[in-house]
Amino acid sequence: MTAEVKSAAPGGAAPGTNELALALERRIGKRSAAVIEKHLGITTVGGLLNYFPRRYMNRGELTPISEVPLDEEVTLLARVVSSSTRTMRARKGTLTDVVVTDDAGTLKVSFFNAYRAKAELLPGRRALFSGRISRYNGALGLTNPDYQLLDEDPDLAGEDPEKLAAMPIPVYPATAKLTSWSIHNVVKTLLDTADLAALPDPLPADVAAREKFLPVADSYRLIHTPETPADWQRARDRFRYQEALVLQSALARRRAQLAAEEATARRPAADGLLAAFDRQLPFTLTAGQSAVGKTLAAELARDSPMNRLLQGEVGSGKTIVALRAMLQVVDAGGQAALLAPTEVLAAQHFESIRRTLGPLSRDGLLGGFGADAVQVTLLTGSMPTAARKQAMLDAASGTAGIVIGTHALLSDNVSFYDLGLIVVDEQHRFGVEQRDVLRSKASKPPHLLVMTATPIPRTVAMTVFGDLETSVLDELPAGRAPITTHVVGLAEHPAWATRVWTRSREEVDAGHQVYVVCPKIGSDDDGDFSPGEAGPADTDLEDSGARELASVTGVVELLRDEPALAGVPVAPLHGRQDPVLKSETMASFTANQTKLLVSTTVIEVGVDVHNATLMVILDADRFGISQLHQLRGRVGRGGLPGTCLLVTTLEPGHPSRRRLDAVAATTDGFELSQEDLKLRREGDILGASQSGGRSTLKLLRVLEHEDVIARARQDAWTVVGGDPSLGSHPALAAAIDDYLNPEKEAFLERG
């Protein structure tokens, strides 16, 4: 039975009380407040006032009974003609049949064990009915719909029919036990009892005047009880901008706080490691790499900490840019730490950086640069005890200029001599707590560079990483070959399953290598998805669990018996393997001894094998757009054209095939990131979940409201620039504290 919310006389509030923070029961009574808390988790006046309708229906455009569509949600405005209740024969309980009419047609509405409907839906009464139309015994009808009596609504009693028809109906996010109508009723009670005139306005007066926004009290009334569509639209525009300004002001305030910190300036050396490194580079930096490098060099030379986000396409050369920044810090007597999300990627960075430095690395592959060379040290959790202790000693003593590691760098017993720069690779894999642990190991706030190869739409960058300066590398270095991507639909072309392996053999016979990516490790595994990238919540799979997904262990066995691959050295790679075995497997593939690598997504980032030209992604529909884009970036890295095959058993019309088609249609990561955000329904932009689900943004949508976000961002910079502590804007400061709960605050700091 639907939970009912009863009106109650409010208790008084003490003078000066923060109305928004007031306990809800003080305004609507204990009984109603208990229902709201139980079903919506809301306990304060502000929480309920800001529980906005998710949409509005127009009574004048309600579905006529004569036109109701089968198996669709409808809302009807109708009068009860008759009502009858009988005991059911096939099951316990009663069935109440209510016949309703809108004078253009009639419809039967049925309720099971609905004592409230039996008592309330009496002949002559008018009500709104909302539910899904179904067919029973050849006739259309509604079963157990939500309904709202109109005759007993004092706000609507005696209203002119034309005015009633034009009056929008707020529809709230409801629960199975608490209908939208019930929520609306208690919100109306709150609007009558709350001291709306005492509510502070977070918007600066000049901004509110410029935008011609309604006052706060009027906006709350009109967004919950509009008489015309223009009412709720004006109120919504005000609260949407307010949300954007509060969020952008929080980011601007954090940026101001970071800028006020004192860091150690790491100025370039006239003829140090960085200069020597640039002289020995066998290629010319791209224009983008040079421009970003100059920006980083200038910011590292300041005595306030650099906080910069570097985003760039897979293979755009971010690592070289980061390495040059690290060398500048080493030249200035400091240390740099590179934090990587996996041991495979940390080891790849370690080998790649030592190889790139060559004789400039103290343990360089080509000798050494004498006492002036930089020592590069690797620190991971799986290293032998003696090696790990030595790495920790090198970091603590300052012997190691560059320390590359995984979460092991965050251990309490790891310390640094003079940590000057933190580079975080694939920043979305780390939380604020982990980054802050590393920051705390520096005597002064260190400079920070976070990198991602997952393109971020401009609006998301403004909304989530607004406290960071952003640089973009959008051109590929010379020698990068194009990647061609094809969707291999086995549902419509089952014979292509064999062709995939024949195609793999052709690459091997041409002297090249192949990646095969699987969503699972073994048959007992649920999947190897990155957070927020795939899985039933993100893929809209109706057959989740109904089909056996490809696993590394299963595919390895299959391919060893595949005639087309006879004699081809095949090896598995996944996260559960012993670290030594993983390293040996990658070394074998890098050395072109293993020709075909069957892997999970551990090869998603950082793996750099120039001879690999073909990637086969099995059950590709189980991965998100950005993950597929990252994966295919592993091929075509050595000047040879790359090919990516997205293999799926889903039917062509399945929703998850849209992602595959999008990835196959373009290699533009920023275009894909926009599409990804659309398909993922924006998700929880400010929370831990990054796909599906309900966004913690209330009225703001980062794809739709770029202009709003940009204007609010400019206003926030102006306000915070003139008043960093917001001492002259107490209402805005309070709104930030209220809006940014710990989870949101933590996410904003992840940059």
Side-chain angles (χ1 to χ4, degrees), residues 448-607:
L448 177 69
L449 175 66
V450 296
M451 304 192 299
T452 179
T454 303
I456 302 170
R458 178 174 178 266
T459 45
V460 176
M462 284 195 300
T463 306
V464 178
F465 300 106
D467 59 331
L468 293 174
E469 301 289 348
T470 302
S471 294
V472 177
L473 290 176
D474 54 8
E475 58 183 319
L476 297 184
R480 281 296 163 88
I483 302 173
T484 305
T485 305
H486 303 282
V487 177
V488 179
L490 299 185
E492 63 269 37
H493 301 290
W496 285 3
T498 303
R499 173 60 184 146
V500 166
W501 307 127
T502 305
R503 181 73 181 79
S504 300
R505 182 57 185 252
E506 291 168 359
E507 288 298 314
V508 173
D509 287 347
H512 306 147
Q513 291 165 274
V514 180
Y515 292 104
V516 177
V517 180
C518 305
K520 293 171 51 173
I521 295 175
S523 58
D524 60 339
D525 182 33
D526 291 331
D528 189 56
F529 312 110
S530 295
E533 278 294 352
D538 186 38
T539 56
D540 301 318
L541 280 177
E542 296 173 359
D543 60 346
S544 172
R547 58 183 172 129
E548 183 60 32
L549 299 176
S551 67
V552 172
T553 55
V555 170
V556 167
E557 291 302 315
L558 172 73
L559 297 187
R560 283 174 176 161
D561 295 330
E562 170 59 46
L565 294 173
V568 173
V570 176
L573 179 72
H574 56 76
R576 290 186 196 160
Q577 288 175 321
D578 177 81
V580 174
L581 177 58
K582 279 192 290 187
S583 297
E584 291 175 349
T585 301
M586 274 309 306
S588 174
F589 191 64
T590 302
N592 199 11
Q593 295 164 347
T594 295
K595 301 295 184 180
L596 191 150
L597 187 69
V598 183
S599 170
T600 58
T601 57
V602 294
I603 54 95
E604 178 186 351
V605 289
V607 175

Side-chain angles (χ1 to χ4, degrees), residues 124-197:
R125 286 193 165 174
R126 293 183 311 151
L128 282 166
F129 299 89
S130 182
R132 183 176 290 272
I133 294 292
S134 59
R135 187 187 301 276
Y136 183 71
N137 286 341
L140 297 181
L142 276 174
T143 302
N144 286 333
D146 287 337
Y147 69 89
Q148 179 187 28
L149 288 174
L150 298 183
D151 305 271
E152 295 188 353
D153 189 334
D155 294 335
L156 302 178
E159 283 287 3
D160 176 73
E162 290 188 8
K163 181 179 179 181
L164 183 63
M167 194 176 292
I169 304 167
V171 179
Y172 292 84
T175 69
K177 299 290 186 181
L178 191 64
T179 65
S180 174
W181 334 119
S182 299
I183 296 170
H184 190 218
N185 286 336
V186 76
V187 169
K188 287 191 294 183
T189 298
L190 180 61
L191 292 173
D192 290 337
T193 57
D195 188 2
L196 299 183

Side-chain angles (χ1 to χ4, degrees), residues 672-683:
L672 286 173
S673 70
Q674 293 281 114
E675 183 67 20
D676 192 21
L677 205 53
K678 292 176 188 175
L679 292 177
R680 289 205 270 165
R681 302 175 301 280
E682 191 160 79

Side-chain angles (χ1 to χ4, degrees), residues 634-651:
R634 299 304 105 204
V635 296
R637 300 175 70 87
L640 300 168
T643 302
C644 179
L645 303 180
L646 305 176
V647 182
T648 179
T649 59
L650 295 184
E651 298 288 341

